Amino acid sequence: MIQVSNLSKWYGPLQALREVSFQVDEGEIVGLLGPNGAGKTTTIKILTGYLHPDEGTVRIGGLDVLTHTREVQAIIGYLPENAPLYPELSVQGYLKMIADLRQIPPDEQLERIAEAVQAVGLEDQLTRPIGQLSKGYRQRVGLAQAILHRPKLLILDEPTLGLDPTQVLEVRRLIRRLARDSTVLFSTHILSEVEALCDRVIILMNGQVRADSRLSELASTPDAIVVLESVPAGLEASLRSLPGVRALEPFRSADGYPAFRVRGSPSQEAGLCPAIYRLARQENWPLRELRRDVRTLETIFNQLVATA
Ligand code: ATP
């Protein structure tokens, strides 16, 4: 659905994007995660045809954004960071204006508006001026305008920015629902948002893609956590002698028992647990717990920030 190749963008002397490449397949929901200034909005503006890159190409649904801007914009629903809503217009009046701009035939407009309004839960607000709506409801109006023409692809720039916790949960639920019918790419700087919504995350830092992975793959490591009642003599040497063990890191478990993080090599897809389990049974170790270590997105993100 989206193919981005080697995008670079300068604002005067500042290079905002450095050879950014990624792709998003049909049906995916992908988070573009990065701290402030990482280049998320710049990427999104280029994807939606509102900004030209200095280098690189973007293809959406097989079409080049630069040469087929209008066709591409017709298959995208876009929620900009600050959606240009008209405060004096009613919700209905605004959506009618968008339907005209989207060239939706007049005899289909009512049905399309009703469909979008229902999808985002705005039925009770139709006649209210947009300026009188809460921020959460204004965001729903932004989402309604983005889906009015039934786009195959939704691109949302920081869709929950500035919302209160209840509104955040509502908008996330809404995005999950919209993702049933469309591919979704959204930007955020909130880790939990990615964990709550995405199949895949692309981490952008200083204008570069630093990670691009399914969340499940990103989280898994070959490492094992071993918690024991006590540490038998020779345990450390036995663990170290297992094939693929790179290092042992002793620590105390949350409930105070001696524990080790056993570091394996990334090539070991099955992880170290099966071999450690066999060894523990053979040696009769007082094992309390044996599990694969899982990295959270926060750990990964912090590691990337530290090495940026
Ligand atoms: P945020 O989360 O703060 O919105 P972002 O990841 O969306 O950040 P961008 O807005 O794409 O990042 O900005 C990337 C870099 O480009 C930043 O250093 C920003 O200051 C700079 N930048 C963005 N727009 C312009 C502009 N119009 N002129 C000059 N510099 C710009």
Side-chain angles (χ1 to χ4, degrees), residues 66-298:
L66 281 183
T67 54
H68 294 77
T69 312
R70 279 187 178 278
E71 291 96 319
V72 165
Q73 285 175 344
I75 55 173
I76 295 178
Y78 172 37
L79 178 72
E81 198 169 6
N82 299 302
L85 302 174
Y86 296 83
E88 67 287 356
L89 285 184
S90 68
V91 172
Q92 199 164 22
Y94 171 70
L95 292 176
K96 166 87 178 77
M97 182 188 85
I98 298 292
D100 288 338
L101 286 174
R102 284 284 185 190
Q103 296 176 333
I104 295 173
D107 58 339
E108 287 181 29
Q109 288 189 357
L110 266 185
E111 186 195 335
R112 294 292 189 89
I113 291 173
E115 187 180 285
V117 158
Q118 196 195 2
V120 303
L122 269 174
E123 295 96 327
D124 301 340
Q125 313 288 327
L126 279 179
T127 54
R128 290 187 71 189
I130 291 173
Q132 289 180 14
L133 298 179
S134 69
K135 182 129 179 45
Y137 274 109
R138 282 206 297 275
Q139 200 68 332
R140 291 180 193 216
V141 177
L143 284 166
Q145 68 75 28
I147 60 172
L148 205 55
H149 56 299
R150 299 181 183 148
K152 287 195 215 154
L153 172 63
L154 272 177
I155 298 186
L156 315 171
D157 197 356
E158 302 257 7
T160 61
L161 192 72
L163 302 186
D164 74 30
T166 315
Q167 294 167 336
V168 166
L169 292 181
E170 279 172 9
V171 169
R172 282 185 193 165
R173 251 198 306 272
L174 206 55
I175 294 172
R176 225 176 276 124
R177 198 168 340 125
L178 297 175
R180 288 187 209 143
D181 301 318
S182 313
T183 306
V184 178
L185 175 74
F186 72 93
S187 73
T188 182
H189 60 273
I190 305 168
L191 297 167
S192 58
E193 194 129 296
V194 171
E195 285 173 322
L197 284 175
C198 293
D199 304 318
R200 202 150 66 75
V201 63
I202 296 167
I203 300 181
L204 207 57
M205 279 183 189
N206 295 328
Q208 282 178 301
V209 174
R210 299 296 308 278
D212 178 350
S213 177
R214 301 192 72 77
L215 282 186
S216 50
E217 288 164 7
L218 207 59
S220 83
T221 73
D223 304 346
I225 301 291
V226 185
V227 184
L228 301 128
E229 301 281 343
S230 58
V231 181
L235 174 134
E236 292 195 35
S238 300
L239 281 175
R240 280 185 209 282
S241 69
L242 282 176
V245 169
R246 286 189 300 136
L248 281 191
E249 291 169 11
F251 66 100
R252 286 264 154 200
S253 69
D255 46 3
Y257 287 92
F260 295 89
R261 175 171 290 105
V262 188
R263 295 251 184 235
S265 57
S267 59
Q268 285 171 302
E269 293 219 341
L272 292 168
C273 288
I276 295 174
Y277 182 66
R278 280 193 295 275
L279 188 62
R281 285 195 58 175
Q282 184 188 313
E283 303 286 330
N284 221 6
W285 288 343
L287 202 59
R288 277 183 66 83
E289 196 181 326
L290 172 63
R291 62 184 158 83
R292 201 163 175 157
D293 195 14
V294 179
R295 294 188 299 175
T296 63
L297 191 53
E298 189 177 354

Side-chain angles (χ1 to χ4, degrees), residues 26-40:
E26 203 166 324
E28 279 192 303
I29 169 158
V30 176
L32 188 60
L33 176 71
N36 290 135
K40 305 180 294 294

